[in-house]
């Protein structure tokens, strides 16, 4: 589309401002439209020119791209910046080392309070190069996939960047996952190299990560080597396949030639839960992902040169990838690696850290905010938080009470709170209150405004776009953006079926949203069988798969319910096989143990209700809608039960639920 020349001038001028890191929202020549709003409109209506300009200025290319984008959402085809060549680690490290080698890249806030360690860009580059050389010497090649099973620490960041340096993809698996979950991800990713630590330390507790890897190895015959870094001084048993990482790194050169990568080569896989039992390995590529992470990091949080950015997410999740590692490092920021928990050794941990490290932007999860709120204001007020400029929230909806407390107590009422909506699939933040004009309102508990280049739409149940405001629907994206995932590893059909089939021509997020009278977006929650426990996504089918493996179990149904701290809790209905005679308490313990062992502790059910049968439709489908209403004690909302095979089953379920609750209360 042709731009009118007045708009185009303003547009170019805004882009140049973006590129000079001084986005001031001057609406030069744009009557009645604010600068940010106009720029966003242009970023959507002239998406190609927008992204081309930003990509040229923000990334360092060894060969410029010739095609901005080549996307066809109806076929799940997404390509950005083709023809372009670059190296992500060069963009995150070398270019900053040239200008300011002494700037601190990482502050490792170790579990032991007050023992933080700082690493400059020069040091992080050296670590990355040694590790890149070590991996190369051990045969890791461009295109291979390396699984990283480590807590948030400098060597984990260096491992990710070392993969990027030599052109290998990484697959970070959250260190809270069990041996079975780890093994499944290693096998699916076809990794022959794993990087881990001897032990993890979190909340004062030691976890045996190397032992977990050893167990996983029993079902991963293709793994040839395991690099083991030492987080603690305790030796672990080393097998023929294990390599002492730090020792071997010392032997390597500090210079490592970066691989020249194509924009669309794979940067990483990251597994996340879907509505079926098998987790999916979402694939992100080099240039588009990095650009999107960097741009959102800068503008959503108003990051400025010299700021200390504190995102407390674990590197095992997408938030850790985009806002602990890639976004901040691409921008030359000082980024915090938080290894501990919000309440270790006491509930003042975050704010003590803010004071000690002089954090300017703090980015955390609603579940932690809700937990800290309960401990009281004194834990916050003890510490000097005057360095804070922006507070962020991510992972799940933030309720008004938690939002207000975050704003009023933590931020002393002076810091904007940005509720950021996005997903593993989106690569970076898509909807957030900022960037916007400096005085633009922020509504508590609302993500509000789409980011540059993001074009959200709401769909009704017929698949029609809802055009009016003050309406709710399925949240979709009408246009591609550089940060979006490119495929599901080894399963492009599942990628298409999940994200592009439900509303042809659109990317479907799986979330529902409300658009207010003013046009602001509020996320209302998942529309599929995925629940969100403390900000961790888990498919109910994944938990059911494990529960059903128990020989005593005939069938099960897992649903989420509202939990005052975790956001959602896990509630399992279990039907036993005929003639099974066990103590329910024993079986509950056994089932909880199985879920922790097969998936992770956070997925373990809070409640297990044994039932004689489950409410089903005549065609034999479990009526989850009914079960959800029962666990929310919303009996009024049970709705139409006429399709049920046997309505009496519902009465039994209700009675069983009440019994379980009263038992729990006593
Ligand atoms: C970044 C991340 C994605 C799902 C997403 C949605 C929920 C994330 C949210 C939010 C309401 C927010 N979600 N941020 N819901 N408000 N600000 O969390 O990625 O782990 O893939 O989870 O989390 O349901 O679809 P991921």
């Amino acid at each position: 589309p042709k731009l009118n020349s007045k708009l185009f001038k303003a547009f170019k001028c805004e882009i140049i401002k973006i590129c000079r890191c001084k986005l001031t929202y001057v609406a030069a020549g744009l009557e009645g439209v604010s600068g940010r709003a106009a720029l966003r409109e242009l970023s959507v209506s002239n998406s190609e020119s927008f992204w081309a300009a930003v990509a040229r200025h923000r990334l360092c290319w060894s060969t410029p791209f010739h095609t901005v984008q080549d996307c066809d959402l109806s076929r799940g085809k997404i390509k950005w910046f083709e023809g372009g060549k670059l190296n992500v680690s060069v963009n995150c490290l070398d270019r900053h080392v040239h200008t300011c080698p002494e700037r601190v890249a990482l502050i490792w806030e170790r579990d032991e309070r007050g023992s933080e360690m700082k690493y400059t860009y020069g040091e992080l580059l050296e670590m990355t190069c040694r590790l890149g050389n070590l991996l190369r010497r051990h045969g890791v090649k461009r295109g291979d996939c390396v699984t990283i099973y480590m807590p948030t620490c400098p060597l984990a960041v260096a491992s990710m960047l070392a993969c990027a340096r030599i052109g290998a993809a990484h697959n970070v698996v959250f260190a809270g996952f069990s041996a079975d979950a780890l093994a499944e991800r290693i096998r699916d990713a076809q990794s022959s190299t794993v990087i881990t630590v001897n032990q993890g330390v979190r909340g004062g507790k030691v976890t045996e990560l190397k032992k977990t890897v050893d167990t996983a190895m029993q079902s991963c015959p293709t793994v040839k080597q395991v690099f083991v870094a030492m987080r603690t001084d305790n030796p672990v048993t080393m097998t023929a396949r294990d390599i002492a990482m730090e020792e071997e790194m010392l032997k390597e050169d500090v210079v490592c030639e970066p691989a020249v990568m194509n924009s669309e080569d794979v940067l990483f896989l990251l597994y996340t839960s879907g509505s079926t039992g098998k987790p999916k390995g979402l694939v992100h590529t080099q240039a588009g992902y990095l650009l999107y992470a960097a741009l959102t990091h800068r503008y959503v949080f108003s990051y400025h040169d010299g700021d200390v950015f504190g995102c407390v997410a674990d590197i095992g999740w997408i938030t850790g990838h985009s806002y602990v590692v890639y976004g901040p490092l691409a921008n030359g920021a000082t980024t915090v690696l938080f290894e501990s928990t919000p309440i270790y050794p006491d509930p003042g941990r975050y704010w003590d850290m803010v004071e000690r490290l002089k954090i300017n932007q703090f980015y955390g999860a609603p579940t932690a905010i809700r937990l800290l709120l309960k401990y009281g204001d004194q834990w916050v007020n003890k510490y000097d938080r005057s360095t804070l400029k922006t507070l962020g929230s991510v992972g799940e909806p933030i309720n008004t009470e938690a939002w207000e407390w975050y704003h009023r107590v933590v931020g002393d009422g002076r810091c904007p709170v940005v509720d950021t909506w996005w997903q593993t699939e989106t690569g970076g933040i898509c909807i957030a209150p900022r960037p916007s004009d400096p005085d633009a309102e922020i509504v508590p508990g609302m993500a509000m405004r789409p980011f540059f280049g993001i074009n959200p739409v709401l769909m009704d149940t017929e698949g029609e776009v809802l055009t009016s405001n003050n309406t709710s629907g399925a949240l979709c994206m009408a246009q591609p953006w550089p940060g979006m995932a490119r495929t599901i590893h080894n399963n492009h059909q599942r990628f298409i079926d999940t994200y592009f089939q439900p509303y042809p021509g659109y990317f479907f997020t799986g979330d529902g949203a409300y658009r207010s009278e003013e046009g602001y977006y509020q996320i209302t929650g998942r529309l599929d069988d995925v629940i969100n426990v403390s900000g961790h996504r888990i498919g109910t089918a994944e938990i059911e798969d494990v529960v059903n493996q128990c020989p005593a179990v005939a069938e099960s149904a897992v649903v989420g319910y509202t939990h005052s701290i975790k956001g959602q809790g896990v509630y399992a209905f279990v039907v036993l096989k005929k003639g099974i005679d066990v103590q329910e308490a024993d079986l509950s313990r056994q089932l909880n143990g199985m879920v922790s062992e097969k998936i992770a502790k956070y997925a373990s059910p809070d409640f297990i209700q044994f039932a004689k049968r489950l409410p089903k439709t005549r065609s034999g489908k479990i009526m989850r809608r009914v079960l959800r209403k029962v666990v929310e004690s919303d009996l009024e909302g049970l709705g139409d039960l006429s399709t049920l095979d046997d309505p009496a089953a519902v009465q039994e379920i209700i009675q069983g639920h009440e019994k379980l609750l009263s038992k729990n209360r006593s």
Side-chain angles (χ1 to χ4, degrees):
K2 244 170 74 191
L3 278 170
N4 94 38
S5 63
K6 215 167 171 188
L7 279 178
F8 189 65
K9 257 203 202 135
F11 174 39
K12 267 180 89 171
C13 138
E14 284 284 8
I15 293 216
I16 287 165
K17 275 187 200 138
I18 281 198
C19 298
R20 296 212 178 117
C21 7
K22 272 189 252 146
L23 182 62
T24 49
Y25 305 105
V26 192
L30 297 170
E31 303 91 325
V33 210
S34 74
R36 210 282 325 188
L39 180 56
R40 201 199 77 81
E41 254 160 54
L42 287 164
S43 72
V44 171
S45 59
N46 286 272
S47 151
E48 288 216 10
S49 344
F50 175 84
W51 288 116
V54 181
R56 283 194 196 102
H57 284 88
R58 286 261 163 232
L59 297 181
C60 175
W61 299 87
S62 58
T63 306
F65 51 90
H66 53 62
T67 309
V68 182
Q69 60 131 345
D70 179 13
C71 303
D72 177 359
L73 291 188
S74 63
R75 291 194 295 130
K77 174 184 170 198
I78 303 134
K79 289 184 172 172
W80 286 86
F81 311 121
E82 276 183 302
K85 292 183 192 295
L86 78 173
N87 183 281
V88 165
S89 79
V90 169
N91 274 274
C92 290
L93 300 172
D94 304 57
R95 62 170 166 165
H96 310 309
V97 172
H98 284 302
T99 52
C100 36
E102 293 309 317
R103 179 180 294 175
V104 174
L106 309 178
I107 308 179
W108 183 20
E109 173 73 3
R110 301 166 78 235
D111 193 53
E112 302 85 346
R113 167 140 86 180
S115 70
E116 70 270 13
M117 293 169 75
K118 298 185 176 173
Y119 296 77
T120 65
Y121 271 91
E123 289 166 336
L124 182 56
L125 176 61
E126 180 180 324
M127 229 194 298
T128 301
C129 284
R130 286 180 187 275
L131 198 40
N133 287 329
L134 180 63
L135 293 174
R136 263 189 189 144
R137 179 154 64 85
H138 281 84
V140 178
K141 289 186 301 295
R142 195 186 162 109
D144 289 354
C145 179
V146 175
T147 294
I148 298 174
Y149 186 69
M150 296 169 102
T152 302
C153 63
L155 276 173
V157 176
S159 299
M160 294 163 77
L161 293 168
C163 290
R165 192 154 195 98
I166 64 172
H170 57 68
N171 166 34
V172 181
V173 178
F174 173 56
F177 276 118
S178 66
D180 282 353
L182 171 63
E184 185 182 5
R185 285 158 178 77
I186 291 174
R187 283 195 305 265
D188 191 85
Q190 298 142 304
S191 278
S192 50
T193 302
V194 176
I195 308 180
T196 189
V197 297
N198 63 336
Q199 295 178 312
V201 186
R202 191 159 176 270
K205 293 195 198 83
V206 169
T207 47
E208 301 291 342
L209 296 185
K210 166 66 164 64
K211 276 201 189 129
T212 306
V213 172
D214 287 343
T215 309
M217 288 305 103
Q218 292 165 10
S219 55
C220 295
T222 54
V223 172
K224 289 204 221 52
Q225 49 194 355
V226 178
F227 292 91
V228 184
M230 298 294 282
R231 169 58 181 89
T232 65
D233 295 331
N234 306 325
V236 284
T237 326
M238 299 287 271
T239 69
R241 137 193 93 225
D242 302 329
I243 299 158
M245 188 154 98
E246 290 99 328
E247 237 174 271
E248 291 300 310
M249 278 169 72
L250 286 176
K251 301 178 188 159
E252 297 294 336
D253 200 74
V254 298
V255 176
C256 174
E257 187 62 33
V260 178
M261 304 301 288
N262 300 313
S263 294
E264 286 299 337
D265 286 335
V266 176
L267 178 61
F268 64 84
L269 319 186
L270 187 60
Y271 284 83
T272 189
S273 295
S275 47
T276 68
K278 197 170 142 52
K280 44 197 177 189
L282 285 155
V283 173
H284 283 282
T285 56
Q286 316 264 326
Y289 169 79
L290 186 66
L291 178 68
Y292 197 72
L295 205 71
T296 48
H297 168 252
R298 191 174 281 271
Y299 291 109
V300 171
F301 300 99
S302 334
Y303 164 79
H304 285 82
D305 250 8
D307 284 347
V308 177
F309 189 80
C311 168
V312 292
D314 191 282
I315 52 150
W317 310 113
I318 190 68
T319 308
H321 283 58
S322 300
Y323 302 108
V324 174
V325 182
Y326 288 111
L329 294 180
N331 287 325
T334 297
T335 184
V336 174
L337 309 180
F338 185 69
E339 192 184 36
S340 195
T341 81
I343 52 168
Y344 181 76
D346 60 49
R349 179 59 186 259
Y350 279 167
W351 325 119
D352 165 52
M353 171 177 80
V354 166
E355 175 182 305
R356 242 184 314 112
L357 310 186
K358 302 191 169 46
I359 290 175
N360 300 114
Q361 289 89 10
F362 181 87
Y363 192 26
T367 181
I369 303 301
R370 284 192 294 266
L371 177 68
L372 296 178
L373 181 159
K374 290 200 201 288
Y375 283 98
D377 302 3
Q378 70 276 14
W379 289 107
V380 186
N381 292 330
K382 259 174 92 169
Y383 300 100
D384 177 9
R385 287 154 286 111
S386 59
T387 51
L388 287 175
K389 294 192 286 191
T390 304
L391 298 172
S393 167
V394 61
E396 48 172 324
I398 179 164
N399 49 311
T400 314
E401 187 194 9
W403 192 100
E404 299 279 4
W405 185 81
Y406 201 24
H407 182 251
R408 179 175 53 80
V409 179
V410 176
D412 273 329
R414 22 165 225 97
C415 307
V417 171
V418 290
D419 173 10
T420 62
W421 176 86
W422 60 294
Q423 316 175 295
T424 305
E425 292 85 344
T426 70
I429 296 164
C430 288
I431 307 181
R434 296 283 191 261
S436 55
D437 300 304
D439 304 322
E441 66 168 332
I442 298 184
V443 183
M446 261 200 175
M448 301 181 77
R449 303 181 175 94
F451 190 72
F452 299 131
I454 297 297
N455 187 7
V457 292
L458 300 180
M459 298 287 184
D460 68 12
T461 42
E462 259 79 70
E464 298 293 328
V465 175
L466 292 158
T467 50
S468 60
N469 282 353
N470 190 14
T471 188
S472 296
L475 179 65
C476 293
M477 299 294 167
Q479 263 173 244
W481 65 100
M484 69 194 299
R486 302 301 194 253
T487 188
I488 290 172
H489 179 65
N490 268 343
N491 202 344
H492 194 65
Q493 194 54 48
R494 185 175 179 194
F495 185 65
I496 294 171
D497 293 348
T498 311
Y499 303 110
F500 303 98
Q501 210 65 64
Y503 302 94
Y506 297 84
F507 168 81
F508 174 46
T509 65
D511 280 316
Y514 164 73
R515 187 168 53 226
S516 73
E517 208 52 78
E518 298 76 23
Y520 301 142
Y521 289 88
Q522 177 170 34
I523 309 306
T524 48
R526 299 289 307 189
L527 298 173
D528 54 13
D529 289 319
V530 172
I531 59 179
N532 193 321
V533 181
S534 305
H536 303 331
R537 262 165 84 165
I538 180 82
T540 52
E542 261 176 277
I543 302 175
E544 289 163 10
D545 278 359
V546 174
V547 169
N548 296 345
Q549 282 168 29
C550 175
V553 171
E555 67 174 343
S556 66
V558 169
V559 295
Y561 69 96
T562 310
H563 186 285
S564 67
I565 292 177
K566 297 195 286 188
Q568 283 190 298
V570 180
Y571 196 112
F573 293 90
V574 174
V575 177
L576 297 183
K577 285 183 187 149
K578 291 236 157 48
I580 293 279
D581 183 26
V582 285
Q583 289 289 317
E584 291 186 353
D586 293 340
L587 192 57
S588 286
R589 256 194 306 279
Q590 188 191 342
L591 293 174
N592 277 310
M594 282 174 72
V595 176
S596 304
E597 198 180 298
K598 299 271 179 198
I599 307 173
K601 274 219 180 70
Y602 72 80
S604 180
D606 300 272
F607 290 99
I608 298 180
Q609 177 178 338
F610 294 95
K612 280 215 235 32
R613 54 200 161 151
L614 297 173
K616 288 189 183 164
T617 62
R618 290 200 186 90
S619 62
K621 269 203 165 123
I622 298 173
M623 297 278 276
R624 284 157 197 290
R625 173 176 62 82
V626 169
L627 295 175
R628 276 195 288 267
K629 294 289 178 194
V630 171
V631 299
E632 296 289 3
S633 303
D634 176 13
L635 301 185
E636 237 89 288
L638 279 176
D640 182 14
L641 301 179
S642 60
T643 54
L644 276 186
D645 188 33
D646 180 5
V650 181
Q651 290 314 316
E652 286 173 25
I653 290 283
I654 295 171
Q655 280 158 15
H657 173 64
E658 277 160 8
K659 225 170 95 193
L660 188 61
L661 284 194
S662 63
K663 201 168 90 197
N664 218 262
R665 272 193 288 266
S666 61

